[in-house]
């Protein structure tokens, strides 16, 4: 089967792929010193890092969204900043601004740039929907270009750079829903839910005792950058890539192949960026599973987190209680997996 990229058969590539797989396992081991359960959530967060994307984490308060990202930054020894989004937050509170600085020896004053909290390796935008669109948009350039522009001057952000944003789905009063263009820039929409009873019991038992974990550093920032480059070189067979694209195109109500549920309940389907992230995420999933090629199962496993914030339902879906996840389930059933696939 023809592939779109060169096979990963060089010794250096194989060694790096093995280091990525073992690095993921060691990161998971370190995270478990503080984070209990939520395996699929943690897996999607790590895939975000290995691809070099940004992700949105949605869940009710108290499910360790902030703790997970802060702990991950500690494990990776990366600079971490948390920004609490509020209605009065200004764009300059995120990006930074020019301030007057006085030289105490000469008394001379000059304008100098004071970097904002966006200047970190991992930025947590906490409750991003609690601030107006003007401030939300301050993240756009940083997320897409890894740089910020203030008063005509551009400042590059240190690599690696990731934004994780959180939302609380139950308190909607006084919130500002993210525009579709900004939602589309998040690789995954990660849903974090209450854990099973046994895991919740372990959470209560552990967090009500003294916790002072010591973390090793299994992976650093340079490793992540190398992993991201390797991910983009993973081969993808044309039928697998076309399957990912077909899923995305079928999510659009104007598509001739769209199932009845999409035509009935979807206002806007997924963009081409969804197909890009499906393929990139599947590449990273394959490597962390010890494989050097992407399978149809890799694509299917990531369909929900990639599509759920890109398939926008209409009023009829809301009135009838039809969820985006249920529509994605129907897409996965409606789009056949090629029989000659991998």
């Amino acid at each position: 089967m023809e592939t779109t990229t060169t096979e990963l058969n060089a010794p250096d590539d194989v060694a790096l792929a093995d280091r990525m797989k073992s690095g993921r396992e060691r990161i998971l081991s370190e995270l478990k010193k503080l984070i209990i359960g939520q395996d699929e959530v943690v897996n999607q967060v790590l895939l975000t890092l290995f691809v070099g994307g940004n992700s949105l984490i949605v869940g009710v308060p108290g499910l360790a969204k902030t703790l997970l990202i802060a702990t991950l930054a500690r494990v990776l020894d990366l600079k971490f900043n948390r920004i609490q989004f509020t209605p009065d937050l200004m764009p300059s509170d995120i990006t930074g601004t020019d301030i007057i600085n006085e030289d105490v020896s000469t008394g001379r004053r000059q304008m100098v740039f004071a970097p904002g909290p966006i200047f970190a390796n991992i930025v947590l935008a906490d409750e991003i929907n609690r601030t107006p669109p003007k401030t939300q948009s301050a993240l756009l350039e940083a997320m897409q270009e890894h740089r910020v522009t203030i008063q005509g001057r551009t400042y590059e952000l240190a690599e690696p750079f990731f934004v994780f944003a959180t939302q609380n789905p139950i308190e909607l009063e006084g919130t500002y829903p993210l525009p579709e263009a900004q939602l589309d820039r998040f690789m995954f929409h990660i849903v974090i839910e209450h854990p099973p009873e046994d895991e919740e019991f372990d959470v209560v038992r552990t967090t009500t005792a003294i916790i002072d974990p010591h973390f090793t550093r299994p992976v650093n920032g340079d490793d992540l950058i190398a992993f991201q480059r390797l991910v983009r070189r993973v081969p993808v067979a044309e039928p697998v890539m076309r399957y990912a694209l077909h899923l995305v195109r079928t999510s659009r109500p104007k598509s001739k192949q769209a199932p009845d549920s999409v035509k009935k309940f979807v206002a806007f389907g997924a963009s081409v960026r969804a197909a890009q992230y499906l393929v990139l995420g599947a590449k990273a999933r394959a490597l962390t599973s010890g494989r050097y090629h992407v399978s149809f199962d890799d694509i299917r496993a990531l369909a929900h987190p990639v599509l759920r914030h890109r398939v926008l339902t209409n009023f009829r879906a809301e009135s009838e209680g039809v969820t985006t996840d249920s529509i994605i389930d129907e897409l996965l059933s409606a789009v056949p997996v090629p029989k000659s696939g991998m």
Side-chain angles (χ1 to χ4, degrees), residues 140-181:
L140 284 180
E141 184 182 15
M143 290 170 60
Q144 190 71 19
E145 307 294 340
H146 291 197
R147 66 188 184 192
V148 294
T149 302
I150 295 98
Q151 296 188 9
R153 292 189 299 275
T154 298
Y155 300 88
E156 300 291 333
L157 298 171
E159 297 291 349
F161 175 76
F162 312 95
V163 172
F164 290 93
T166 70
Q167 283 189 175
N168 175 358
I170 61 175
E171 294 181 10
L172 299 179
E173 185 175 350
T175 61
Y176 304 84
L178 289 172
E180 288 75 11

Side-chain angles (χ1 to χ4, degrees), residues 182-304:
Q182 187 163 340
L183 276 174
D184 198 36
R185 282 168 169 78
F186 288 102
M187 175 179 174
F188 290 149
H189 175 153
I190 302 171
V191 174
I192 182 168
E193 298 177 338
H194 289 290
E197 183 176 351
D198 289 345
E199 288 183 5
E200 196 163 1
F201 177 84
D202 287 340
V203 170
V204 174
R205 177 175 54 81
T206 303
T207 56
T208 53
I210 297 174
I211 308 176
D212 187 20
H214 172 71
F215 297 111
T216 61
R217 306 289 188 258
V219 172
N220 59 33
D222 290 338
D223 291 330
L224 287 177
I225 293 172
F227 296 160
Q228 291 166 14
R229 291 172 178 165
L230 182 68
V231 163
R232 289 183 172 270
R233 297 179 52 228
V234 173
V236 183
E238 182 176 324
V240 177
M241 189 170 290
R242 287 194 178 277
Y243 175 70
L245 183 60
H246 196 187
L247 275 175
V248 170
R249 291 179 62 85
T250 307
S251 74
R252 301 165 187 165
K254 292 185 179 180
S255 170
K256 294 180 180 179
Q257 290 77 34
D260 290 340
S261 59
V262 168
K263 295 177 179 178
K264 186 176 179 181
F265 297 118
V266 173
F268 298 98
S271 70
V272 67
R273 194 177 275 123
Q276 293 169 333
Y277 278 134
L278 270 176
V279 171
L280 283 171
K283 287 184 175 190
R285 186 177 187 269
L287 278 182
T288 54
S289 300
R291 291 178 284 106
Y292 302 147
H293 67 274
V294 177
S295 70
F296 295 112
D297 286 341
D298 292 321
I299 301 292
R300 293 174 64 84
L302 300 179
H304 286 83

Side-chain angles (χ1 to χ4, degrees), residues 129-146:
N129 58 332
R130 294 209 170 275
T131 201
K134 181 179 180 180
T135 304
Q136 292 172 355
S137 65
L139 285 176
L140 284 180
E141 184 182 15
M143 290 170 60
Q144 190 71 19
E145 307 294 340
H146 291 197

Side-chain angles (χ1 to χ4, degrees), residues 102 182 319:
E102 182 176 348
Q182 187 163 340
S319 64

